[in-house]
Amino acid sequence: MLNDMGFLWAVTAVVWLGMLAYAVVLMRRQRRLQQELESLRRALDQFNPPSR
Amino acid sequence: MQSRAGWPVWLSIAAGAVMFVHLYLAFVWSPPEQHMGNLVRIMYFHVPSAWNAFFAFFVTFVCAILYLRRRRLVYDLVSAASAEIGVLFTSITLVTGSLWARPIWNTWWTWDPRLTTTLILWFLYAGYFLLRASIDGRERRARVSAVFAIVAFADVPVIHMSVEWWRSIHPLAVDETGFNMPGSMAATLMFGFVAFMCLYGLFLALRVRQQRQAMELHELREAVRAARVRQEGQV
């Protein structure tokens, strides 16, 4: 059974871990998007090579 | 290019620093309460997360109206991004509220009007994302989800008024006379709101950037597909 401070620490953990978990999800999404964008740009460059 | 990659890092450091100050104010600077003792400190997390959730859904509501009036997809992007963060804050509000209710009310959950309407709010915006995922076509998805977001926002004033309209055991931290607490507690509560607002701003900026990149990704996919078809036609 949690005592008073136990509930307080649990709340703090929920808030901080919740925010951190969301930040990690955002960072992973960002990395995946960036990788996909770069690979598609490379693919497009192969079809349309830059003219000199 | 370097500065564009750098702003999320600097913004994250600033938001993290503000959150640490909030932690100090909540745990050290503010006094314990006469009846609840240290449990009152839960308020500094629970109430700002609820206020930020309402603010996030208000942004969703305003952007939904702006989308329907001006038909610019950027409003839909901001609307969806803000709703996602609103769901995060509402989830935190519900869990922290439950953790507060257990030692104070001797129960993890009760069907109190404010708790029930907040749970309904969570389900409404979870439904908003299910709706978005089920609709094909950018414009149609934006239009339908804008209408849904406007209707769903009606629950926010109901949550606010629920303690006055129905019999509720939920305490009022702020009423028409102002803060029902000493100045140091009110200041910590307001700082908590600002700290959570910094996180909201950071998350919103990152999420909107991702939504824009997702649109760019979609356009690039179409361009690659078209280029491939063109090339196959030439062969």
Side-chain angles (χ1 to χ4, degrees), chain B residues 73-152:
Chain B
L73 273 172
V74 66
Y75 294 121
D76 178 59
L77 299 188
V78 179
S79 192
S82 191
E84 186 176 293
I85 303 161
V87 170
L88 170 76
F89 280 118
T90 309
S91 308
I92 288 173
T93 304
L94 288 169
V95 176
T96 56
S98 184
L99 283 164
W100 201 6
R102 178 65 188 146
I104 298 297
W105 296 340
N106 202 29
T107 179
W108 294 104
W109 181 263
T110 175
W111 294 102
D112 173 86
R114 182 162 274 184
L115 275 67
T116 308
T117 47
T118 306
L119 184 64
I120 290 170
L121 186 75
W122 190 91
F123 277 114
L124 279 170
Y125 282 93
Y128 171 82
F129 287 104
L130 289 176
L131 182 73
R132 286 184 74 87
S134 68
I135 299 173
D136 288 328
R138 227 182 275 172
E139 273 79 20
R140 187 160 173 267
R141 179 171 55 231
R143 196 172 62 245
V144 174
S145 49
V147 173
F148 186 93
I150 292 167
V151 175

Side-chain angles (χ1 to χ4, degrees), chain A:
Chain A
M1 188 62 196
L2 289 170
N3 60 15
D4 284 6
M5 285 309 280
F7 283 105
L8 182 58
W9 287 116
V11 164
T12 311
V14 164
V15 171
W16 277 74
L17 292 178
M19 302 292 186
L20 281 175
Y22 187 65
V24 168
V25 167
L26 285 183
M27 280 192 293
R28 289 178 69 170
R29 268 189 206 161
Q30 183 65 43
R31 201 176 305 132
R32 203 178 54 234
L33 269 171
Q34 208 71 47
Q35 284 169 350
E36 274 190 73
L37 275 172
E38 278 162 21
S39 81
L40 277 172
R41 282 193 193 116
R42 272 198 304 273
L44 202 61
D45 283 346
Q46 282 174 355
F47 286 114
N48 311 312
S51 54
R52 294 205 165 199

